[in-house]
Amino acid sequence: MLSNDTICALATANGMGAIAVIRISGPDAITKADEIFQSKFGNKKLLAVDSHTVHLGYVKQNNTLLDEALFTVFKGPNSYTGEDVVEISTHGSVYIQQKVMELLNRIGVRNANPGEYTFRAFWNGKMDLSQAEAVADLIASDSQASHEIALKQMRGGFSNQIKELREEMINFAALMELELDFSEEDVEFANRDKFNELLNKLQNTLKKLADSFAYGNVIKNGVPVAIVGAPNAGKSTLLNALLNEERAIVSDIEGTTRDTIEEVLNINGIAFRFIDTAGLRTSGDKIEQIGIEKTREKIKQAKVVIHLYDVHRMTEQMVAQQLDELLQSNNIVLNVANKIDETSAKNAISDELKKEFPDVIHLAISARENIGIEELKQALSNQVQQLGSSSDDTIVSNSRHLSALQNTLKQIHKIREGLQHNLPGDLLAIDIREALAYLGEITGEIDVDQDILGTIFGKFCIGK
Ligand code: GDP
């Protein structure tokens, strides 16, 4: 991926549009753009213009004019990639887009690979690796919540939190290495108490970040929800009632299994994925075939379990038994009594049951008559929002980051043990360097494996 030739790509979506933007980046970006630019007024040359200026003109091929277009010039390092960049905004016909690209290719500008612009931005120090990954997440985000997380990370959420602590750690490692040179004299340059304090701070910060993954991951991929309950409890009716108003547009979520059909519902900016609704939506007989095993599997995949039951068919003792089992799964559990249209809503769930299961959200609804559906939706989004801490915090939503955080935490634990056993400074320093290496994997401050970089940037679309 590492090259410094001049590249081009369509930056806007494929197909016809009002305008199309073709982006050129690299050392010859401005020279090459100049070759196909003819100013509308006078004899302007792009090479002579200031950075961050827009110029009206024509795209010309030899002496033929292809289109009237705007040329925006960014001079490196003040551009997205850090290189010279020219963006050509043409009219959005597919024909014009193709012709401009062909023209650029003909004069020696290469078509960019997926993610190559962002890779260059990373390589030129315009953003760190976690920010580059956030760009991909931002483009892929399909709900308000996932958009917020990506945006925060792109603006440097991670890097800012870790940077200072990382620098202090580097400092300590250096001091401890220095002690080695004076080992005869038994001196301590690195104050162990201060170092312990730093470790505490680092551990707290990293732990909070690692813990946020539980929230970040479900937000990014959609919160998996399983509706479980006996046949005829009203599961399909409930699903239909939930989906009725706001069937979500999203369906193609990366990394999720496609063999089960999932329905996605957007509630208050959070995407909820209803697991295995194919099974849920079939006839009563089939559900029985699916059996308990399948239900257990669903519960395992879920983050939220809605226990739905026909209020006329289950005794509270039976409900309690179910809840006991469901709570073992560590999921958020909503206990939902259905078919209250046939009974009095007030008595649907007794106070005793609510007292017995204070961590469960209890609701009484009628899926068929649309009673209590809004409350159920509200409860779903409230519960998930509570998983995330304050909205100012950086949320980890990337499993690569999580594993780097966990490895760093393990390493910190090792350093602590070393300190307790009065390990000499040089040995401690080795452990510190290792912790720093893990930490650096997140932001790409240390050498990240080329394969990993390839995987990260390969996921981008072309033109980003
Ligand atoms: P599932 O087997 O759990 O998916 O249950 P269904 O959604 O197929 O519903 C079973 C039966 O209960 C159907 O005849 C529904 O019309 C009925 N039903 C579902 N919700 C309600 C409700 O809120 N009130 C009443 N009275 N009947 C309901």
Side-chain angles (χ1 to χ4, degrees):
M1 231 181 189
L2 197 56
S3 59
N4 68 342
D5 51 353
T6 300
I7 52 174
C8 64
L10 185 67
T12 38
N14 274 319
M16 195 171 70
I19 60 164
V21 176
I22 289 149
R23 178 154 58 178
I24 316 171
S25 179
D28 298 328
I30 303 175
T31 319
K32 295 293 179 188
D34 235 350
E35 282 183 39
I36 61 165
F37 172 74
Q38 181 179 315
S39 174
K40 185 159 180 176
F41 307 108
N43 212 2
K44 201 183 319 183
K45 286 277 160 230
L46 294 179
L47 272 169
V49 304
D50 290 336
S51 182
H52 294 71
T53 51
V54 187
H55 307 275
L56 180 61
Y58 301 97
V59 181
K60 64 165 188 199
Q61 178 173 14
N62 301 320
N63 288 324
T64 346
L65 300 184
L66 257 178
D67 189 18
E68 187 171 290
L70 286 174
F71 288 66
T72 312
V73 176
F74 305 89
K75 293 190 178 170
N78 298 317
S79 69
Y80 180 70
T81 55
E83 306 170 322
D84 284 352
V85 168
V86 178
E87 287 181 3
I88 309 174
S89 311
T90 66
H91 290 101
S93 100
V94 176
Y95 176 76
I96 294 174
Q97 296 167 19
Q98 276 171 358
K99 279 292 162 193
V100 177
M101 288 296 289
E102 275 171 30
L103 189 57
L104 288 168
N105 290 161
R106 209 171 305 146
I107 60 172
V109 182
R110 171 172 65 79
N111 285 342
N113 295 317
E116 199 166 1
Y117 288 94
T118 309
F119 175 77
R120 288 184 176 200
F122 161 65
W123 200 256
N124 293 325
K126 298 297 291 185
M127 56 176 78
D128 69 30
L129 201 52
S130 72
Q131 288 172 304
E133 287 168 302
V135 173
D137 287 347
L138 192 68
I139 296 171
S141 66
D142 48 29
S143 68
Q144 190 188 341
S146 61
H147 169 262
E148 257 169 40
I149 291 177
L151 193 65
K152 212 172 286 164
Q153 195 175 318
M154 194 180 73
R155 295 176 66 199
F158 244 129
S159 339
N160 297 343
Q161 286 208 30
I162 295 175
K163 205 168 161 197
E164 227 171 90
L165 297 169
R166 199 178 123 84
E167 272 161 21
E168 281 184 60
M169 282 280 275
I170 293 174
N171 219 3
F172 268 104
L175 287 174
M176 284 182 181
E177 277 159 5
L178 201 63
E179 286 173 8
L180 185 66
D181 297 337
F182 296 85
S183 49
E184 311 277 286
E185 281 132 81
D186 196 22
V187 288
E188 239 181 47
F189 291 115
N191 181 313
R192 298 301 193 261
D193 289 338
K194 283 239 169 73
F195 184 53
N196 245 323
E197 241 172 68
L198 173 65
L199 286 178
N200 280 340
K201 249 199 286 180
L202 192 62
Q203 191 169 4
N204 286 339
T205 306
L206 299 187
K207 195 163 172 323
K208 217 163 120 200
L209 285 169
D211 288 347
S212 76
F213 182 77
Y215 178 67
N217 191 45
V218 291
I219 290 300
K220 185 164 145 183
N221 296 320
V223 184
V225 185
I227 305 176
V228 302
N232 284 324
K235 297 182 293 296
S236 342
T237 312
L238 172 60
L239 188 66
N240 283 332
L242 285 169
L243 292 171
N244 227 349
E245 299 148 40
E246 299 177 69
R247 189 174 230 108
I249 329 148
V250 239
S251 61
D252 228 350
I253 300 164
E254 200 195 331
T256 57
T257 45
R258 299 305 305 156
D259 49 359
T260 57
I261 297 171
E262 294 178 351
E263 297 284 1
V264 182
L265 174 67
N266 205 316
I267 306 173
N268 294 337
I270 299 169
F272 288 86
R273 276 172 30 218
F274 288 84
I275 299 172
D276 193 12
T277 50
L280 290 175
R281 296 182 116 198
T282 49
S283 72
D285 300 345
K286 269 209 181 140
I287 295 169
E288 280 176 288
Q289 287 167 22
I290 292 168
I292 295 166
E293 221 19 71
K294 186 90 186 173
T295 309
R296 290 233 166 89
E297 197 48 44
K298 260 189 306 198
I299 293 168
K300 234 193 270 169
Q301 291 169 22
K303 185 85 210 159
V304 178
V305 174
I306 298 178
H307 173 243
L308 188 75
Y309 61 98
D310 182 337
V311 75
H312 309 287
R313 295 230 187 140
M314 294 261 277
T315 63
E316 293 222 327
Q317 201 186 355
M318 287 154 80
V319 174
Q321 224 170 6
Q322 289 287 336
L323 290 180
D324 267 332
E325 187 174 336
L326 288 175
L327 281 172
Q328 286 169 18
S329 65
N330 246 340
N331 287 321
I332 296 169
V333 178
L334 274 70
N335 182 47
V336 181
N338 190 26
K339 310 196 184 180
I340 57 158
D341 52 301
E342 293 175 342
T343 181
S344 149
K346 277 192 202 113
N347 306 326
I349 300 174
S350 74
D351 290 339
E352 285 78 40
L353 192 76
K354 289 180 186 167
K355 242 184 249 156
E356 197 181 338
F357 296 96
D359 296 332
V360 172
I361 309 297
H362 301 273
L363 291 165
I365 66 160
S366 166
R368 204 179 65 185
E369 303 304 324
N370 226 353
I371 304 168
I373 301 298
E374 266 323 302
E375 286 80 359
L376 176 57
K377 282 186 180 173
Q378 209 52 47
L380 277 169
S381 76
N382 285 349
Q383 287 306 300
V384 171
Q385 267 155 6
Q386 277 174 25
L387 283 178
S389 29
S390 128
S391 61
D392 287 340
D393 291 340
T394 306
I395 309 270
V396 177
S397 61
N398 184 309
S399 50
R400 193 183 71 81
H401 298 169
L402 178 69
S403 87
L405 286 168
Q406 284 169 337
N407 284 333
T408 318
L409 281 165
K410 260 187 229 154
Q411 205 57 31
I412 289 178
H413 184 71
K414 209 168 144 194
I415 299 170
R416 275 188 189 291
E417 279 183 349
L419 278 173
Q420 269 167 16
H421 295 107
N422 286 324
L423 216 63
D426 52 332
L427 291 182
L428 281 174
I430 294 174
D431 285 340
I432 299 173
R433 294 269 174 217
E434 215 161 301
L436 284 166
Y438 282 129
L439 206 52
E441 278 178 11
I442 297 176
T443 51
E445 266 165 281
I446 53 122
D447 286 347
V448 179
D449 201 319
Q450 285 295 322
D451 288 349
I452 296 177
L453 288 180
T455 315
I456 291 171
F457 289 98
K459 276 197 232 147
F460 280 74
C461 45
I462 292 176
K464 196 63 215 174

